[in-house]
Structure formats: structure tokens, C-alpha cells
């Protein structure tokens, strides 16, 4: 690793604290992640004050662990990076302030990155990057959007949810059905045990093929159905919900890719860990389409994706000052 560019990445935008060492924006030397799921489970959602306090208590331990797992010290770092947006303000501050302290103390550049762009970068820690442009589908607890990605930092939003994010819908439906938190894995597990496998819920946005998503209606449909038919088997309703929630993602991403005449498609974010979604994408893709998804560990929040993306900003000299700030919203642009 002598001639490699070594970075430290930090992530604390929501409910995972993570520190990672990546060489040359590609080779993950360590990726330490502590999830706060157990702290938020009783509330069935992330409590911002609890999240930021837990990040603060954990981050220094993870930085030390990431360095020692990679077999290096602070003096070996060429840059330090952190997620600066979007996310919970109090949580974002923990990673960004820590990275500023390291940047100042070690005299190394600071790179503040967009969490959504980092998610879209995650698969390239394992796979070779395709030629630009590619279509990116980002599906997590806070975001559901389709992007046209023309290069590092050149990202245009071409479709997004009009209300809830898909992961949020999994979490809310799971909470309503009493299946557990986080809802995505709980619903996937229940759906896999369904026997009848009937998709009895209405289709999401069945009208013309535009690029919007909407998840509040399907959530209401689950509630309405269970009130009218309280004896419905939980595995069967989980199956019906999951099919409807995922089929719109598949339909939208392929129609965007085909309209834009782009064959490379990157799927990123926590919901990309869903096995049924991977199966549907495989079934619906054409032979010339290249679907790129990270392994489940890199789909959920982690600092390796932050550090890997930051490498590209580091080598092109796009560094941030110590006065840079956190932002609740993304900087990715929208096509009007
Ligand atoms: O990307 P992520 O770790 O965090 C952010 O939202 O930033 O995504 C978490 C979301 C949660 O809503 C969770 O329920 C969902 O991803 N999720 C899944 C699965 N695993 C996690 N949704 C569906 N199927 C899964 N297997």
C-alpha cells in the first residue's frame, strides 16, 4: 500500500456510526459500522437526540478500530472525509466535526460529501465502474429517487417520490402489522413465508408511465385491508405489500433507462438489500442491460462509500474548508 492514496471516511447521517479506511478510492482496508437499531427499536423509528448522542459516544472508538484494522496510523492518511448532507443535523455534525479536527491536527485535506452520491458510489468498491452516464436508483429509509449520473458530482434527479420513501413505507407497514423494526428485513422475511402469494392490494400510480413514486397510498391500502379483513395472514399481506412496493421501482427504473437510452443501471441504498427486488430486476432486465448492485453490507449506511467517493474529489483538488457545514437536504440537482 506504499504508493496508494489512503483516506479515512466517517458516516453518522442517520442511525449508523461508521469509520472506514479506503485505498485509492477502491480497496476497503476496514469498514467499521455500529448500528443503533437496538436503541431506536422501541420507538419504531430513529429518535434524533438519541442518535446524535450515540454517534458521539461511538465515533472515536470506531476511528481507532478502523485505523488499527487497516494497520495504519493518522500519519498515513492523505485525506479525511465525512458525510455532510443530507441527514439529521445533530447526527451529521458528529462525523463532520470529527473529520475537521483530524484535518486540522494532521494538516490533511477535508472532503465533505453528499450521502446520496456516496450510496450511488458503493457498488464500485466491489465492481468496476461502467462508462458514464448511468441511471441510479436510490432507495432507502429517507429517499426514493432516480438519477442520471454523468460523472463524479454530475448528478441530475429525474424522478422521485411525491410522499414517503420506499424504506419508510416498509418500516411503517411493518410497525402497523407488528412485524418488527427495521421493517424492510422483517417484511421480506414474512413475505418469503407466504403460501397463497396473491397480490390483492391496488397498484401504485397505475396511470401513465411517469417517473414519480408514491408510497403513502399503499400504506393506507394495507391499513384499510387489515381493518376490513382482520384475519388476513400476516405473511400474505407482507407478500402483497412487498410485491406492490417493489414492482413500481422496477418499472420506473427500466422505463427511465430505456427512455434515456442508458444500459448501465446502479441500484443503491438500504432497500437494495432486498432479495426479491434483486430477483425482479434480474427477471425484467434485457440482455444488454447491466444491473449493478452492491453487496447487502455496502447497501446500508457505511463510511467506505463516503471515503471511496471522496477519493475522486481529493485527487481532482476539490477540497472543503474547515468552515463547511452540514445540511439536512441533498445538493443533488433536479431536472425541472
Ligand atoms: O440506506 P439505509 O441504511 O439508511 C437510510 O435510510 O439512509 O436504509 C434503511 C432502510 C430502512 O427503511 C429499512 O427498512 C430498509 O432500508 N431495508 C430494507 C431491507 N433492508 C433494509 N427494505 C426492504 N428489504 C430489505 N431487505
Amino acid at each position: 500500500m506504499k504508493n496508494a492514496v489512503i483516506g479515512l471516511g466517517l458516516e453518522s447521517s442517520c442511525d449508523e456510526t461508521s469509520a472506514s479506511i479506503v485505498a485509492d478510492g477502491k480497496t476497503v482496508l476496514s469498514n467499521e459500522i455500529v448500528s443503533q437499531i437496538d436503541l431506536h427499536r422501541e420507538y419504531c423509528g430513529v429518535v434524533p437526540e438519541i442518535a446524535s448522542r450515540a454517534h458521539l459516544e461511538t465515533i472515536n472508538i470506531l476511528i481507532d478500530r478502523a485505523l488499527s484494522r487497516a494497520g495504519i496510523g493518522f500519519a498515513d492518511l492523505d485525506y479525511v472525509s465525512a458525510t455532510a448532507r443530507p441527514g439529521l443535523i445533530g447526527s451529521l455534525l458528529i462525523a463532520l466535526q470529527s473529520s475537521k479536527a483530524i484535518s486540522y491536527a494532521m494538516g490533511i485535506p477535508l472532503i465533505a460529501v453528499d450521502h446520496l452520491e456516496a450510496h450511488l458510489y458503493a457498488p464500485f468498491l466491489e465492481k468496476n465502474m461502467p462508462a458514464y452516464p448511468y441511471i441510479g436508483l436510490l432507495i432507502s429509509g429517507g429517499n426514493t429517487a432516480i438519477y442520471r449520473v454523468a460523472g463524479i458530482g454530475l448528478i441530475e434527479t429525474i424522478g422521485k417520490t411525491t410522499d414517503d420513501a420506499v424504506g419508510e413505507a416498509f418500516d411503517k407497514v411493518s410497525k402497523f402489522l407488528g412485524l418488527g423494526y427495521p421493517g424492510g428485513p422483517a417484511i421480506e422475511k414474512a413475505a418469503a413465508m407466504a403460501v397463497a402469494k396473491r397480490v390483492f392490494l391496488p397498484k401504485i400510480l397505475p396511470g401513465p408511465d411517469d417517473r414519480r413514486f408514491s408510497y403513502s397510498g399503499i400504506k393506507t391500502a394495507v391499513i384499510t385491508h387489515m381493518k376490513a379483513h382482520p384475519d388476513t395472514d400476516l405473511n400474505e399481506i407482507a407478500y402483497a405489500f412487498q410485491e406492490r412496493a417493489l414492482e413500481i421501482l422496477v418499472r420506473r427504473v427500466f422505463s427511465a433507462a430505456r427512455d434515456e437510452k442508458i444500459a448501465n443501471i446502479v441500484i443503491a441504498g438500504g432497500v437494495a438489500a432486498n432479495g426479491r427486488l434483486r430477483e425482479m430486476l434480474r427477471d425484467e432486465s434485457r440482455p444488454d442491460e447491466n444491473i449493478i448492485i452492491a453487496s447487502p453490507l455496502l447497501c446500508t449506511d457505511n463510511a467506505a462509500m463516503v471515503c471511496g467517493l471522496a477519493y475522486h474529489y481529493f485527487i481532482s483538488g476539490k477540497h472543503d474548508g474547515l468552515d463547511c457545514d452540514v445540511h439536512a437536504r441533498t445538493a443533488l440537482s433536479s431536472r425541472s
Side-chain angles (χ1 to χ4, degrees), residues 63-316:
I63 293 171
D64 285 344
R65 224 190 271 166
L67 288 167
S68 79
R69 285 260 156 88
I72 62 164
F74 282 110
D76 297 305
L77 297 176
D78 294 298
Y79 68 91
V80 58
S81 54
T83 299
R85 61 183 173 271
L88 302 169
I89 291 294
S91 289
L92 286 164
L93 275 172
I94 309 301
L96 189 65
Q97 291 305 106
S98 305
S99 68
K100 285 182 184 178
I102 294 166
S103 165
Y104 182 71
M106 301 310 300
I108 54 174
L110 165 71
I111 323 286
V113 310
D114 189 294
H115 182 75
L116 307 187
E117 189 179 8
H119 266 303
L120 291 171
Y121 185 80
F124 308 123
L125 293 165
E126 301 169 316
K127 302 174 168 91
N128 289 328
M129 252 167 143
Y132 290 112
Y134 63 79
I135 292 291
L137 173 69
L138 183 59
I139 39 179
S140 69
N143 300 280
T144 299
I146 302 185
Y147 303 100
R148 187 181 192 282
V149 184
I152 297 289
L154 300 173
I155 303 187
E156 190 185 8
T157 308
I158 58 173
K160 62 181 179 185
T161 181
T162 53
D163 41 57
D164 290 354
V166 56
E168 187 182 355
F170 271 87
D171 293 336
K172 286 179 175 169
V173 166
S174 181
K175 179 180 178 184
F176 172 75
L177 297 175
L179 289 174
Y181 174 82
I187 290 202
E188 183 177 5
K189 197 167 152 213
M193 291 187 293
V195 178
K197 294 188 158 77
R198 282 181 43 248
V199 189
F200 47 80
L201 295 171
K203 271 185 186 285
I204 297 173
L205 292 176
D209 247 343
D210 60 31
R211 290 181 181 168
R212 289 171 305 154
F213 300 92
S214 169
Y215 282 98
S216 64
I218 186 79
K219 184 187 66 192
T220 308
V222 169
I223 296 170
T224 310
H225 177 89
M226 292 309 283
K227 284 190 175 149
H229 310 278
D231 296 337
T232 308
D233 183 90
L234 291 183
N235 296 337
E236 301 300 333
I237 183 90
Y239 180 85
F241 164 75
Q242 179 172 264
E243 289 298 298
R244 287 293 187 233
L246 299 181
E247 73 184 4
I248 188 173
L249 298 175
V250 175
R251 186 150 40 100
R252 292 286 190 259
V253 77
F254 284 120
S255 92
R258 290 163 195 171
D259 283 357
E260 303 273 333
K261 301 193 176 10
I262 296 175
N264 291 312
I265 300 169
V266 173
I267 316 285
V271 181
N274 187 287
R276 175 68 183 129
L277 174 66
R278 289 168 183 245
E279 198 176 278
M280 288 167 138
L281 288 163
R282 219 177 24 240
D283 291 349
E284 295 297 320
S285 66
R286 292 177 182 164
D288 65 319
E289 284 165 338
N290 179 23
I291 313 283
I292 304 159
I293 316 183
S295 61
L297 183 72
L298 289 174
C299 283
T300 47
D301 290 352
N302 68 87
M305 65 187 193
V306 173
C307 195
L309 171 66
Y311 163 84
H312 297 272
Y313 287 105
F314 170 70
I315 55 168
S316 58

Side-chain angles (χ1 to χ4, degrees), residues 44-62:
C44 287
V46 178
V47 182
E49 289 78 7
I50 295 177
S52 33
R53 181 162 295 274
H55 288 306
L56 187 58
E57 286 165 357
T58 315
I59 199 146
N60 284 340
I61 300 168
L62 293 192

